[in-house]
Structure formats: structure tokens, C-alpha cells
């Protein structure tokens, strides 16, 4: 298994086969969905990188300058290179080409680009959720303060009513006292 954080850094680097022969440049990495396991690399080759093929990443290693795959140029030649996320048919075709065990039918794959976009969307959603939670906390604090102010105002109003009623009673008694 190749660590996801490191393999993404390899994009654009030279890919060589097990004998040291150049295969092309690493264009994209395909991962098992819901896993950090990088399983295939899409390698561009030819004039202006117009051609591509997929190479299994099992056993791959990296140096500063290149990625070395555990396959020969002869084995890689003619490998299919589906664009975008790998579907079940594409995975079966690659497994057949390389003589690998076919993946389970419910195993999903995604490109590093798709994964990065999904992770970015998740990070943005998390940040927005935090902002909304902070706003909700501020609104709760404002509501509590308003409730306290309301309670204090209610107490003041009650005290003022009681004072007014007492004054009215005293005024009525004072009027009665005068003959």
C-alpha cells in the first residue's frame, strides 16, 4: 500500500519500470474508494503525453526523481487507461491485462483528483458548519441576554406597578381622611 499523502506528491514525476526503463509521467492516481490504498497509476507517454495506460501500484517505490513500478514496459504496453474514476468494467479489464485477481463487484475506485475535490468540499462544509455553530452560539447568548433583560424589565415593571398601586391607595386614604 502506498500512503495517500505521499503518492499525490508524485504526480508529474517520471515513472520507470522494474528494469529502469522510462514509461512516462504519472498523471493520476486511482484509489480504492473509502480507503487510502492507491491501486493504479495513469501514466501519460508519447509525444505531448497523448497516450496513457494504467499501471498497478502494488510494490511501487518512489525516489526524488521517479516512481518505480513493479512491472516491465512489455507488461505495461497496451494496458487500458480509462479516463476519470475507474468503474467495475475498467477494473476487470486491468485485472485481466495484468493477470491480477479481479476485484469484488462492489469495490469502488476514485481518482486522486476526485478524492481531493471531495475532501475539499468536505473541508468547506465542515468550516461552514463551524461558522453556523458559532453563529448559533452567539444567537443563544443574545437570546439569553435578552431574556435576562426582559426578566429584569418585568421585575422593574412589577415593582413600578406595586409602587403605583400603593401610591393610589395612599392617595385614596388621604382623600378619605380630609373632612
Amino acid at each position: 500500500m502506498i500512503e495517500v499523502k505521499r503518492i499525490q506528491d508524485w504526480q508529474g514525476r517520471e515513472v520507470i519500470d522494474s528494469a529502469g526503463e522510462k514509461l512516462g509521467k504519472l498523471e493520476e492516481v486511482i484509489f480504492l474508494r473509502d480507503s487510502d490504498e492507491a491501486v493504479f497509476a495513469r501514466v501519460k507517454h508519447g509525444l505531448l503525453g497523448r497516450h496513457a495506460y494504467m499501471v498497478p501500484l502494488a510494490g511501487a517505490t518512489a525516489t526524488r526523481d521517479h516512481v518505480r513500478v513493479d512491472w516491465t514496459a512489455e507488461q505495461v504496453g497496451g494496458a487500458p487507461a480509462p479516463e476519470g474514476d475507474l468503474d467495475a468494467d475498467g477494473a476487470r479489464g486491468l485485472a485481466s491485462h495484468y493477470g491480477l485477481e479481479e476485484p469484488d463487484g462492489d469495490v469502488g475506485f476514485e481518482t486522486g483528483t476526485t478524492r481531493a475535490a471531495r475532501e475539499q468540499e468536505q473541508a468547506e462544509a465542515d468550516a461552514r458548519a463551524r461558522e453556523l455553530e458559532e453563529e448559533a452560539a452567539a444567537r443563544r447568548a443574545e437570546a439569553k441576554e435578552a431574556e435576562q433583560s426582559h426578566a429584569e424589565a418585568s421585575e422593574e415593571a412589577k415593582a413600578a406597578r406595586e409602587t403605583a398601586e400603593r401610591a393610589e391607595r395612599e392617595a385614596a386614604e388621604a382623600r378619605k381622611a380630609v373632612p
Side-chain angles (χ1 to χ4, degrees):
M1 182 171 95
I2 299 171
E3 188 177 329
V4 67
K5 292 188 182 350
R6 295 184 60 213
I7 189 70
Q8 291 299 86
D9 295 338
W10 296 345
Q11 285 183 312
R13 289 193 187 163
E14 194 70 42
V15 177
I16 61 172
D17 72 359
S18 57
E21 186 176 327
K22 290 182 180 183
L23 297 175
K25 301 251 184 220
L26 179 63
E27 177 195 30
E28 186 69 80
V29 178
I30 309 296
F31 295 91
L32 284 176
R33 189 171 286 128
D34 303 324
S35 167
D36 286 344
E37 186 176 356
V39 290
F40 290 103
R42 182 177 298 114
V43 178
K44 288 279 191 173
H45 67 97
L47 188 61
L48 303 175
R50 291 185 182 181
H51 304 286
Y53 38 69
M54 299 285 268
V55 181
L57 286 173
T61 58
T63 68
R64 261 184 186 185
D65 303 321
H66 62 267
V67 176
R68 180 184 295 265
V69 294
D70 220 10
W71 302 89
T72 65
E74 185 176 286
Q75 292 170 312
V76 171
E83 288 292 321
D85 292 339
L86 188 61
D87 62 13
D89 289 336
R92 281 192 292 277
L94 286 167
S96 174
H97 178 84
Y98 286 104
L100 302 171
E101 184 177 326
E102 286 192 21
D104 292 337
D106 58 346
V107 171
F109 300 90
E110 68 182 346
T111 64
T113 302
T114 299
R115 175 172 288 203
R118 181 175 46 80
E119 289 172 350
Q120 178 64 32
E121 287 174 10
Q122 183 63 51
E124 290 170 1
D126 290 345
R128 180 67 178 140
R130 279 190 300 278
E131 287 175 10
L132 291 171
E133 288 168 348
E134 289 171 4
E135 183 177 335
R139 298 286 182 242
R140 277 192 295 277
E142 289 172 4
K144 186 174 182 176
E145 187 177 309
E147 288 169 355
Q148 286 176 336
S149 293
H150 174 73
E152 290 171 3
S154 292
E155 289 296 318
E156 289 175 9
K158 182 179 175 185
R161 270 193 307 275
E162 290 172 357
T163 301
E165 289 170 3
R166 189 172 43 249
E168 288 172 354
R169 281 192 307 272
E170 290 174 2
E173 286 179 21
R175 284 192 192 102
K176 286 182 195 177
V178 176

